[in-house]
């Protein structure tokens, strides 16, 4: 016997009105992560997961700070700006008078122009500018005096060395120093000028020579003095014969002949 024979007969009209039963709801399940593993349950009670407590919101933390409302277009507050601070007025340029320099100092236009430009850059008052210039001039004069003194001291030491060389020179120094310097002086007086001795031009030429010797110190230099001393050998006049010369031994004798004069047999 077939299975369909045991089923009750169904009315076709009733079957048309039969409503399909609703699908059963999905059963609730426990995630597998909630089930402890074997390793977790060894030697301990099974871990039962308790639902986590919901965090309580902190009123202070949840309150958002109020933002200032942005001005809407057309609102007078939207076009209002903070007043700008007034710009400082530009300082008036300082006019400096012509500065005064101490006697002996001649101003250089280029340097004075740079000086005035620097003064105006830092707004130095004219009175202070003149005082600074006076201080600089005094410092410069002090430096100039110190430099001149050092130069004269160095040159004086060099001339002293020249004089020591003259005193030790075999021609100019030693016991014959005065005699040698007398010959040098004669050459000086002879060669200093072409004018007559004692004339106006001679005096002028002599003064120029003395200025040259004082400025250069050449009158102490052994080379210059030796040159004049050698000139005396050529320009000095022949020495005068000694007073009361003796009578020649052959005076009054008759020569034996002209031949004896030349062969040295004359007596």
């Amino acid at each position: 016997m077939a299975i369909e024979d045991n089923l009750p007969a169904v009315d076709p009209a009733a079957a048309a009105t039969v409503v399909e039963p609703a699908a059963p709801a999905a059963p609730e399940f426990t995630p597998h992560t909630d089930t402890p593993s074997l390793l977790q349950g060894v030697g301990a009670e099974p871990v039962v997961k308790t639902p986590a407590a919901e965090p309580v919101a902190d009123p202070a933390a949840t309150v958002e700070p109020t933002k200032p409302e942005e001005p809407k277009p057309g609102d007078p507050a939207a076009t209002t700006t903070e007043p700008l601070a007034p710009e400082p007025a530009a300082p008036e340029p300082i006019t400096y008078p012509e500065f005064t320099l101490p006697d002996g100092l001649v101003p250089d236009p280029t340097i004075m122009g740079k000086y005035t430009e620097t003064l105006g850059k830092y707004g130095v008052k004219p009175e202070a500018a003149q005082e600074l210039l006076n201080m600089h001039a005094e410092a410069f004069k002090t430096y100039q005096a110190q430099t001149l003194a050092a130069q004269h001291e160095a040159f004086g030491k060099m001339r002293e060395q020249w004089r020591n060389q003259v005193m030790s020179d075999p021609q100019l120094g030693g016991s014959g120093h005065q005699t040698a310097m007398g010959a040098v002086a004669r050459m000086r007086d002879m060669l200093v000028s072409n004018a007559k001795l004692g004339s106006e031009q001679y005096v002028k030429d002599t003064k120029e020579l003395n200025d040259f010797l004082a400025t250069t110190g050449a009158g102490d230099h052994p080379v210059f003095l030796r040159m004049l001393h050698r000139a005396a050998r050529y320009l000095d006049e022949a020495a005068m014969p000694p007073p009361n010369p003796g009578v020649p031994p052959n005076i009054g004798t008759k020569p034996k002949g002209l031949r004896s004069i030349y062969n040295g047999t004359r007596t």
Side-chain angles (χ1 to χ4, degrees):
M1 185 176 61
I3 297 176
E4 291 82 357
D5 295 339
N6 295 328
L7 294 176
V10 178
D11 189 359
T17 58
V18 174
V19 179
E20 292 290 335
E28 295 181 1
F29 70 97
T30 302
H32 74 92
T33 54
D34 291 346
T35 304
S37 63
L38 295 175
L39 184 59
Q40 289 175 307
V42 176
E45 294 293 333
V47 177
V48 179
K49 183 177 181 180
T50 57
E54 297 182 359
V56 180
D58 187 1
T62 56
V63 177
E64 296 182 359
T66 57
K67 297 181 180 180
E69 295 183 359
E70 296 182 0
K72 298 179 181 180
D75 191 351
T79 58
T80 303
T81 57
E82 293 291 335
L84 299 177
E87 296 182 0
E92 296 183 0
I94 302 177
T95 302
Y96 294 98
E98 184 177 357
F99 294 107
T100 303
L101 294 177
D103 294 339
L105 294 181
V106 180
D108 186 298
T110 302
I111 296 177
M112 295 305 298
K114 293 181 179 180
Y115 178 63
T116 305
E117 180 181 355
T118 304
L119 295 175
K121 178 180 178 181
Y122 294 100
V124 181
K125 296 181 179 180
E127 298 80 4
Q130 180 63 55
E131 186 173 353
L132 290 174
L133 190 60
N134 294 341
M135 294 174 61
H136 173 74
E138 288 297 326
F140 178 78
K141 292 174 64 176
T142 301
Y143 168 77
Q144 186 181 33
Q146 293 175 349
T147 302
L148 183 62
Q151 290 175 343
H152 277 272
E153 181 180 1
F155 198 69
K157 292 181 179 180
M158 183 173 62
R159 291 182 61 184
E160 183 179 359
Q161 294 176 359
W162 292 347
R163 288 192 293 270
N164 293 335
Q165 294 176 13
V166 169
M167 298 304 298
S168 61
D169 188 86
Q171 298 180 12
L172 303 175
S175 58
H177 174 68
Q178 295 297 332
T179 302
M181 292 304 296
V184 170
R186 286 195 303 274
M187 296 302 101
R188 175 202 62 196
D189 298 341
M190 181 184 298
L191 301 176
V192 67
S193 176
N194 289 329
K196 183 179 179 180
L197 180 65
S199 64
E200 182 179 356
Q201 183 61 41
Y202 184 91
V203 173
K204 179 182 178 182
D205 293 341
T206 301
K207 181 180 182 305
E208 291 180 352
L209 174 64
N210 290 332
D211 292 342
F212 162 74
L213 297 177
T215 303
T216 63
D220 292 330
H221 203 287
V223 173
F224 184 69
L225 297 180
R226 279 196 298 264
M227 181 178 65
L228 292 177
H229 186 263
R230 284 193 296 268
R233 298 179 183 178
Y234 301 97
L235 301 179
D236 261 347
E237 295 181 359
M240 295 293 293
N244 301 323
V247 179
N250 58 352
I251 188 169
T253 60
K254 183 179 180 181
K256 296 181 180 180
L258 295 176
R259 185 179 300 273
S260 64
I261 299 175
Y262 298 101
N263 59 15
T265 59
R266 179 181 179 182
T267 58

